[in-house]
Amino acid sequence: MRTLIEKLENQGVLTKEEYSALIRSRTPELAGLLFEKARNIRERYYGKDVYIRGLIEFTSCCKNDCYYCGLRRSNRNAQRYRLTKDEILECCKNGYGLGFRTFVLQGGEDPYFTAEKLVDIISSIKNGFPDCALTLSVGEKSYDEYKAFFDAGAERYLLRHETADDEHYRRLHPKELSPENRKRCLYDLKEIGYQVGCGFMVGSPWQTAENLADDLLFIKELQPQMVGIGPFIPQHDTPFGDKQAGTLELTLFMLGLLRLTLPYALIPATTALGTIDPLGREKGIQSGANVVMPNLSPVSVRKKYLLYDNKICTGDEAAECRNCLEMRMKAIGYNVVVSRGDCCNFNK
Ligand code: SAM
């Protein structure tokens, strides 16, 4: 198995059989070797820098009914809120003062926020903070809507593909959501010129090593600039409330494989990783990740954006969240930097 890791390091890709064999036969020793190589590659392109993204969770309303997500429309116990444009701009203002140069607008698929409203919010953010990058994560839209957001100034888009296997996708989502449309969105976003992020949950129900291998191959083919992966964590008011959570160990192994597969990628150590282990984000960075996404949402709404149980950072002040992460990164020898943090392999 060591030779497979070396092959991946040299060639940047393995076959489906090789990836799945490596995932199935992983050991702590193999993981140690993988993480060392992942750190080396990451440091070759990004040094010891860790980019921060200010996450603004601007709506907890969602028209979709994904079986795993606490925001799903059938969850009667979810607390719903929407931030106003002024509240969103206030988050950006606070974030700018704290050194954020990327804002991520994330939310459920909320029909209240029409394309027209989103374009207005995007233009206002870009006018107010012209030296900042704006990332959207608002789900599946038409080509024309994505184009309108891009023309208004949004330059990055996060849309996890969730799983590259069509059959598996159908087991995680109701039938009105299709794997074909999810992938269509990702290719549209690329064509329009966004820096694109895809990704998946590790340990989602019924996921196999072959599914994970397919995820890596899909990512290799799509060549996104960003990839978000984190453990699946059950939320008690969803149909998957009694399913097992993904593990820290497998998530870190997948982060290592991802770094070797896509050396240039911007890869966050996610909040979900920090939720399943108190040092999860640090361990994520030490396994190949190079981004963290502190919460910039107003403290009053943080406990209402609950995708999964026991989510961390729902009580802190924005400033504390940012400073806490800076200290955590320093403690393991990495530096949070004030930068837009673009992908080093993205040509406009
Ligand atoms: N609505 C947008 C979308 O569909 O891309 C953005 C928000 S959505 C809540 C963001 C991501 O949260 C999803 O892509 C999914 O991977 C993740 N997520 C949802 N429920 C989760 C859970 N129970 N455990 C871990 N991650 C979860």
Side-chain angles (χ1 to χ4, degrees):
M1 289 297 142
R2 291 177 73 90
T3 51
L4 283 184
I5 293 182
E6 279 150 17
K7 183 175 172 194
L8 178 58
E9 180 189 26
N10 295 329
Q11 301 185 3
V13 72
L14 295 176
T15 65
K16 177 171 178 177
E17 291 68 31
E18 289 170 334
Y19 273 128
S20 39
L22 199 47
I23 293 166
R24 251 189 268 102
S25 330
R26 68 190 188 279
T27 60
E29 291 70 36
L30 273 180
L33 176 72
L34 174 66
F35 298 155
E36 192 188 316
K37 292 188 182 301
R39 279 195 301 273
N40 286 343
I41 293 192
R42 167 255 205 265
E43 283 171 26
R44 193 180 313 151
Y45 294 108
Y46 292 102
K48 294 272 190 185
D49 289 355
V50 173
Y51 297 134
I52 47 172
R53 316 304 196 192
L55 183 62
I56 304 169
E57 297 160 335
F58 73 103
T59 170
S60 68
C61 304
C62 192
K63 69 178 170 59
N64 292 336
D65 222 12
C66 308
Y67 300 141
Y68 45 84
C69 184
L71 301 188
R72 66 197 302 268
R73 68 165 185 267
S74 300
N75 182 2
R76 305 259 173 274
N77 295 328
Q79 297 188 55
R80 309 293 179 177
Y81 69 88
R82 292 181 178 116
L83 298 186
T84 63
K85 181 170 104 174
D86 286 347
E87 286 170 325
I88 294 172
L89 288 168
E90 191 59 29
C91 292
C92 296
K93 191 170 154 219
N94 290 338
Y96 194 88
L98 292 167
F100 288 94
R101 295 295 177 270
T102 289
F103 302 117
V104 182
L105 271 189
Q106 189 182 78
E109 281 194 31
D110 181 356
Y112 169 85
F113 285 99
T114 55
E116 199 184 340
K117 284 201 178 83
L118 282 173
V119 162
D120 177 42
I121 292 170
I122 295 163
S123 324
S124 305
I125 295 176
K126 289 302 288 188
N127 282 334
F129 307 91
D131 55 334
C132 292
L134 181 57
T135 307
L136 295 181
S137 178
V138 293
E140 298 176 25
K141 305 280 177 188
S142 68
Y143 183 97
D144 290 346
E145 286 171 309
Y146 286 147
K147 180 81 170 68
F149 303 155
F150 186 79
D151 291 342
E155 54 245 281
R156 304 186 190 141
Y157 205 103
L158 302 177
L159 185 80
R160 290 185 174 184
H161 63 283
E162 311 297 1
T163 169
D165 182 272
D166 291 358
E167 181 67 35
H168 187 216
Y169 192 94
R170 288 193 196 94
R171 298 185 81 176
L172 303 182
H173 301 92
K175 62 176 181 316
E176 64 268 19
L177 294 171
S178 78
E180 292 80 15
N181 195 51
R182 198 82 180 168
K183 289 178 186 154
R184 186 275 302 162
C185 288
L186 285 165
Y187 282 102
D188 281 356
L189 290 162
K190 273 209 99 176
E191 190 184 311
I192 291 167
Y194 282 94
Q195 296 186 42
V196 172
C198 66
F200 57 92
M201 293 177 288
V202 176
S204 60
W206 306 289
Q207 185 180 62
T208 61
E210 284 70 24
N211 293 154
L212 290 169
D214 277 336
D215 285 323
L216 292 170
L217 287 169
F218 172 72
I219 289 167
K220 191 71 190 177
E221 182 193 298
L222 180 71
Q223 293 278 316
Q225 285 74 34
M226 305 167 282
V227 186
I229 69 173
F232 159 73
I233 304 175
Q235 200 284 344
H236 62 276
D237 286 316
T238 65
F240 290 173
D242 58 355
K243 302 283 187 216
Q244 287 275 318
T247 64
L248 174 78
E249 180 268 322
L250 179 55
T251 308
L252 297 180
F253 198 79
M254 293 309 299
L255 282 172
L257 291 180
L258 193 56
R259 174 57 66 197
L260 262 54
T261 302
L262 220 57
Y264 298 107
L266 294 160
I267 303 176
T270 58
T271 305
L273 199 52
T275 297
I276 58 165
D277 185 288
L279 293 176
R281 286 166 299 177
E282 288 87 333
K283 291 173 185 171
I285 295 291
Q286 290 171 316
S287 306
N290 60 341
V291 171
V292 286
M293 297 174 71
N295 201 328
L296 265 188
S297 311
V299 174
S300 58
V301 302
R302 286 192 194 176
K303 284 193 185 346
K304 300 181 185 167
Y305 196 85
L306 296 179
L307 314 179
Y308 46 79
D309 290 338
N310 305 315
K311 187 176 171 215
I312 55 166
C313 303
T314 56
D316 297 335
E317 294 292 331
E320 283 172 11
C321 233
R322 192 254 189 243
N323 294 339
C324 159
L325 271 165
E326 179 159 359
M327 271 165 39
R328 284 168 176 267
M329 296 301 121
K330 243 202 177 78
I332 56 166
Y334 289 84
N335 309 311
V336 164
V337 291
V338 175
S339 159
R340 279 170 50 107
D342 285 295
C343 180
C344 66
N345 193 31
F346 185 73
N347 301 315
K348 279 209 160 165

